[in-house]
Structure formats: C-alpha cells, structure tokens
Amino acid sequence: MSEIKKVAVIGGGTMGNGIVHVFALNGYDVKLVETKQEFADRALNTIDKNLSRMVSKEKISEGEKAAAIDRIQPHLNIPGAVMESDLIVEAVPENFELKKKIFTEVDEHAPEHAILASNTSSISITKLAAVTKRPGKFIGMHFFNPVPVMKLVEVINGLETEKSVTDAIMETSKKLGKVPVPANDFPGFVSNRVLMPMINEAIFCVHEGVAEPVHVDEVMKLGMAHPMGPLRLADFIGLDVCLDILNVLYDGFKDPKYRPCPLLVKMVDAGKLGDKTGEGFFTY
Ligand SMILES: NC(=O)c1ccc[n+]([C@@H]2O[C@H](COP(=O)([O-])OP(=O)(O)OC[C@H]3O[C@@H](n4cnc5c(N)ncnc54)[C@H](O)[C@@H]3O)[C@@H](O)[C@H]2O)c1
C-alpha cells in the first residue's frame, strides 16, 4: 500500500473541521468539501480559532499554525477534491441515504488505490462499503469529539476490509498523534455498544425514581471515576443522537436489552435534546 499523503474530508461540521485540523497540523495536504461556500468558511474559521488557541497555550508555534492553514484547500464539489487523494474521510450527517450518495460519487472519482473511510457512529461499515466497487478498501475511522483533543480513533473493519488497509489506517492515525484501536463491524462497534446501554440505564434510574439526574451523575463521577456523569454526557452528545444509536443497537441485535427508555423517547419528542436546545437532563 502506497503512503497516504493527500487527504480529502467530506463535511466540515463538528467532526469534519476537527478531522481537517488534525490532518493539516500533522503535515497532510487536506481538501475540505462542503456544500456551500459559507459552510466551508465557517469550518475554516473554526479551525483557525482552534489552532490559535493551541498557539496561545504554546502547544504549537505561529509558524506551525500558518503551515497547517496553508495545507487546507476548500472545495465545493467531490470530483475535484478526491481526484488525487490517497484517503477520503467522510463526516457528513448520520443518514445512510446521504452517505450512500456521497460514497457512490467518491468511488467514481477517487484513484483506484484510494482508501475510503467513514466517521459514522452507528451505520454499518460493511453496508456502506457495499455501495462502492472497492469494499476491500473501505474502513471505519471513528474519531471522537472534540477531535483535536480526544486521543481515540476506533478503526472499524468491514467484512471485506483488506489487512493492508487496516494497517495503513492504524499507521496514519498514529501519525495524527492518536491512539487507534481496532474493532470489527457490529452495531455500535465497541464505543457506543458499551456507552449507550450505560446512558440508557442512567435514564431508567431517573424514570423509575431511583435518583435525581444530578445524583445519578454524582455516583458515577465519585464512585466510578468517570470525568463526566452519564446524563451530562448524554446532554452533550444530544438526546436525539443517543436515541438513534440505541435504536440501531435494538434493531441490529433484536435484543430487548437495548430498548430505549420511555423517558428518553419522551424528552426527544418534547424537543429537550440537551446542550443544543438549552435543556435536557440539565439546563444550559
Ligand atoms: N458529533 C459527534 O460527537 C460525533 C462523534 C463521532 C462521530 N460522529 C459522526 O460524524 C458524522 C458527522 O457528524 P457531525 O456531528 O460532524 O455533523 P454536523 O452536522 O456537525 O456536520 C456535518 C457537515 O456535513 C456537511 N454536509 C452535508 N451534506 C454534505 C455533502 N453532500 N457534501 C459535503 N458536506 C456535506 C454539512 O454542511 C455539515 O457541515 C456523523 O456520521 C456522526 O454520526 C459524530
């Protein structure tokens, strides 16, 4: 497998701008694809701001920041962005039909040797790989929010992912200063399969009157050394996102242990989604 040097990132939202940030800072040429100029500008502004924060904390120099910014090239269409890329990382919203459309186009225009990676939290890597003509060169590259800070990259092998592709992505993740951890493609991978049932159980504790949200979180922080309680974390992730992932686990395994707590469903119906709406288990 030839060395990965040129990268394209599709989507410059919460995750995409962080992914562009870490690639550019670590010497990769990065093409950032967005749907509108204003969205590309917003992503570039966020990256600029986050790099400046690293300069003020003396983690990088002004020169390193400038060099990173210079390596980023915004694009408004996929063909031009992926044409010469060795790796394409997709970070558009969590919607199978949208990702399918994007990977079909990426597959058509990316060079034959290019690796296609998705940052999906819950969609099957094997199913996404199957929309392309290169399932062996398809992999999950699951970054965590905020990307410049969080060390983990969950590297998810689809049913047909070639070993050389896994090795290349593990190696590339290390070059980004991350710690890659391999996993196989099953619903929720490792991260959400373990996290979401815990969050769901914390919500059941509130639902059944076992304890108030603040007390559930205190138990997990003080007793289990969690830096953030499960309900505070659920609000941060978004209660709608938690519900969607629990439904993926429930549908994927057909096992009632993953059934979403009725209180979670009710809060999502009420539009209380956590930080992004100002109210969830806590108010912001
Ligand atoms: N937010 C998280 O904490 C988190 C963590 C891990 C993984 N993920 C996964 O990462 C992916 C992205 O999530 P996010 O939170 O960054 O979403 P987001 O909504 O913040 O960003 C998505 C971006 O994609 C852009 N986009 C939409 N359609 C596009 C297209 N056709 N071409 C190019 N860009 C397009 C949007 O303009 C937007 O800027 C999802 O699959 C999500 O499950 C999210």
Side-chain angles (χ1 to χ4, degrees):
M1 173 103 1
S2 56
E3 204 190 337
I4 293 169
K5 288 195 176 125
K6 295 180 180 173
V7 179
V9 177
I10 322 279
T14 307
M15 297 304 288
N17 75 59
I19 297 169
V20 170
H21 170 133
V22 295
F23 273 109
L25 190 57
N26 288 285
Y28 293 85
D29 289 327
V30 196
K31 298 197 160 83
L32 159 64
V33 188
E34 260 294 349
T35 48
K36 288 185 181 167
Q37 189 60 46
E38 61 178 291
F39 296 157
D41 290 344
R42 187 180 58 191
L44 291 171
N45 283 335
T46 304
I47 294 167
D48 193 290
K49 197 181 73 199
N50 290 340
L51 286 168
S52 292
R53 190 175 308 128
M54 292 179 82
V55 173
S56 64
K57 287 185 177 167
E58 296 182 355
K59 289 186 174 164
I60 58 171
S61 67
E62 277 289 355
E64 284 167 320
K65 176 191 160 186
I69 299 274
D70 265 355
R71 290 187 200 106
I72 305 171
Q73 218 186 76
H75 278 253
L76 295 182
N77 68 71
I78 288 177
V82 305
M83 211 162 56
E84 292 177 359
S85 296
D86 306 310
L87 167 65
I88 295 98
V89 183
E90 166 276 316
V92 303
E94 191 75 338
N95 172 312
F96 176 73
E97 289 305 323
L98 175 62
K99 290 186 194 279
K100 178 178 170 181
K101 179 172 153 278
I102 283 169
F103 277 118
T104 305
E105 194 175 0
V106 168
D107 190 31
E108 197 177 316
H109 297 280
E112 212 174 308
H113 74 272
I115 295 175
L116 276 42
S118 176
N119 183 51
T120 180
S121 311
S122 62
I123 297 172
S124 162
I125 294 301
T126 307
K127 189 172 164 185
L128 284 172
V131 311
T132 74
K133 295 188 191 75
R134 61 180 98 194
K137 293 200 162 51
F138 199 103
I139 196 159
M141 207 173 176
H142 188 200
F143 289 88
F144 289 75
N145 185 25
V147 180
V149 177
M150 298 291 277
K151 286 278 175 204
L152 177 63
V153 180
E154 203 177 15
V155 176
I156 300 123
N157 294 306
L159 189 64
E160 295 186 66
T161 307
E162 292 160 13
K163 181 168 182 308
S164 62
V165 169
T166 310
D167 292 346
I169 294 303
M170 296 286 289
E171 203 45 48
T172 301
S173 301
K174 286 180 197 159
K175 287 186 183 157
L176 299 179
K178 303 293 181 200
V179 180
V181 177
N184 290 321
D185 182 32
F186 283 97
F189 319 134
V190 172
S191 50
N192 282 317
R193 184 166 177 177
V194 176
L195 175 65
M196 288 301 161
M198 184 190 67
I199 286 178
N200 201 36
E201 207 54 41
I203 300 172
F204 268 111
C205 285
V206 176
H207 180 59
E208 293 170 5
V210 178
E212 295 293 321
V214 64
H215 297 139
V216 172
D217 274 13
E218 269 178 358
V219 167
M220 298 306 287
K221 283 192 290 186
L222 301 176
M224 322 307 162
H226 287 201
M228 208 186 222
L231 298 172
R232 176 68 195 90
L233 182 56
D235 278 356
F236 176 71
I237 293 169
L239 299 188
D240 51 339
V241 175
C242 294
L243 179 59
D244 286 346
I245 298 175
L246 277 162
N247 278 325
V248 166
L249 292 168
Y250 186 58
D251 295 341
F253 291 112
K254 307 278 187 269
D255 186 329
K257 77 177 175 185
Y258 299 110
R259 76 205 183 288
C261 176
L263 176 60
L264 174 62
V265 177
K266 200 150 76 171
M267 289 181 72
V268 172
D269 285 346
K272 295 180 193 295
L273 307 181
D275 297 31
K276 62 185 158 192
T277 59
E279 191 182 351
F281 288 99
F282 303 100
T283 46
Y284 303 96

